[in-house]
Every structure is written in structure tokens, then in C-alpha cells.
Amino acid sequence: MTPAASQDGRLLVPLYVHPAVDPAAWQAVAAADPSRIAAVVLNLADGPGETPDGVFSEAVEQLRAAGLPLVGYTDTDYGRRPHAAVVADILTYRQRHGISGAYLDQVAAHPGALAHYRRLATAARAAGCHTVVFGHGDHPDPGYADVGLADLLVTFEGDWTAYRSMTLPLWTGRHAAARFCHLVYDVPADDAQDATALIAARRAGVGCAVPGAGENPWCTLPYGLTAAELT
């Protein structure tokens, strides 16, 4: 078993590095076993970008050819970004890259925004997205786990130190582990297996642990997907 995934868990891969900057990272993801990958999150410029990028598009096609499920990142600014702007991002991803899902990030956690996000989830599915991910980064109001909203809730996004002290709300036990994802960064290599075990123990059926830190820790690959570990 690699340190990246437990026996039951799958990886969500936030691939937030341009293929021209780190082509080896994209190649490593393309070489991964699709059965281990819940989704690869595409993110050109905190969204699909203003104009098409040929290098990015070509690299995305290689991921698609490898059979990997692709979801497009769009920022919702905790409910402040207009509905039409978020949907426009989703449609752009669909047109340019044929994504099969939407990753809505910076999703509000309070119950007052539930109706807004229900509309966004409905619009994403109407646009052809089979998977909708809500990136809360923390545990939201339990209503966000209701049927008809997100298929996957990212209920933790933070560093390894914070993750070790995180408290799991009791309401999560009413739902399947496959509904939850934990994203953990700044994980030392010596702690990679411990991080993976803790993600599984906390009933997150999807997860990701990376060594990266700083402003964009997701420019580093999850443990288990480096070129050396795949050979």
C-alpha cells in the first residue's frame, strides 16, 4: 500500500500548477491508476482563465485519455460571488475541457446560504456535471450534506498541525464516508502514512496529503503520486 491512499480511500488531486511549470507532476497524475482517483481538480487561474491556454488544454487531454475524472475549480467567495459568474466558469470548463464535475471552492458553511448553493448545484448538473464538490474547508451546517446538493464535501483543508487537533462533529456519522474529503498540506514525508491513516480513521473516504506549504501548497503532488513512487 502506498502512503497516499488507504485500502478504502481515494485521492482528490488539486493539480494547481501549470503543466509548463511542472510537466512531471502532470505526467505523474496521468500515470496514476484511475480507480484510485476520485477526481483531478483543474485550476488554471482560480477558475478556467479568461482565454484558452493551449499548453494547459493539451495536458488536460492527456489526463482525459488516461481515464481520469476531471472537475473544474471555481471560487464562490462564500456566497458573495454572483450565481451567473460561477455558472459561467462551469460552462467555460465544459466547453474547453469537457469536465465531468464542478469543484465549488470557498463555500459558505452557514445555513442561510443553503438555497444559493442548492441553485448552484442544480445549475452545475444541468450543465452536464455528474459530480459536484463543495469546498468548505471546515465542517459546515449539517444541511449541506442533504441529498441534492454536493456529492462530496471538503470538510477540512489545512495544515498537518491543525488536522491532528481537528474535532469531528457527530453529525458526520450519519453519512457515508464517501461523502467527505479531507485535504491536508505541510505533511512531512515521515508523517505521510500517519496522515493517510488519520484521514481514514476520521471517515473521510476521499483525501489528499501533500508536502507543500505556503500560499499554494497544492502545487505539490500528493504522497504516492510522485514519479519515483509510481515506478
Side-chain angles (χ1 to χ4, degrees):
M1 181 174 65
T2 70
S6 68
Q7 288 181 327
D8 298 320
R10 294 190 298 161
L11 283 169
L12 182 75
V13 183
L15 192 54
Y16 298 173
V17 61
H18 195 279
V21 174
D22 191 353
W26 283 70
Q27 291 164 8
V29 174
D33 179 356
S35 68
R36 294 178 55 206
I37 308 298
V40 178
V41 186
L42 305 180
N43 184 5
L44 179 59
D46 288 337
E50 293 294 326
T51 58
D53 181 315
V55 174
F56 187 84
S57 295
E58 183 178 348
V60 170
E61 270 310 304
Q62 292 175 356
L63 299 183
R64 182 192 319 289
L68 298 173
L70 307 176
V71 300
Y73 175 100
T74 184
D75 182 11
T76 73
D77 194 22
Y78 301 105
R80 293 185 290 264
R81 191 160 180 239
H83 174 94
V86 176
V87 174
D89 278 356
I90 294 169
L91 293 173
T92 299
Y93 276 118
R94 284 284 295 162
Q95 180 182 27
R96 292 181 189 167
H97 308 300
I99 58 164
S100 59
Y103 186 104
L104 308 185
D105 199 22
Q106 299 200 104
V107 172
H110 59 87
L114 274 166
H116 172 69
Y117 284 100
R118 188 178 299 277
R119 288 179 62 228
L120 284 175
T122 299
R125 293 193 172 92
C129 293
H130 305 301
T131 302
V132 175
V133 183
F134 281 179
H136 297 280
D138 200 354
H139 285 91
D141 181 87
Y144 284 91
D146 287 349
V147 174
L149 278 89
D151 303 286
L152 184 65
L153 302 175
V154 178
T155 52
F156 181 88
E157 181 176 352
D159 65 28
W160 176 226
T161 299
Y163 190 58
R164 284 179 293 179
S165 61
M166 186 262 281
T167 300
L168 194 68
L170 292 177
W171 68 261
T172 60
R174 301 197 297 268
H175 302 278
R179 296 288 310 282
F180 300 105
C181 174
H182 295 168
L183 302 177
V184 190
Y185 58 81
D186 201 10
V187 179
D190 290 344
D191 292 337
Q193 289 185 330
D194 289 342
T196 298
L198 190 54
I199 289 170
R202 287 175 168 167
R203 296 191 66 257
V206 179
C208 180
V210 301
E215 186 175 344
N216 179 20
W218 310 114
C219 68
T220 58
L221 282 174
Y223 286 107
L225 286 188
T226 65
E229 289 166 315
L230 287 168
T231 57

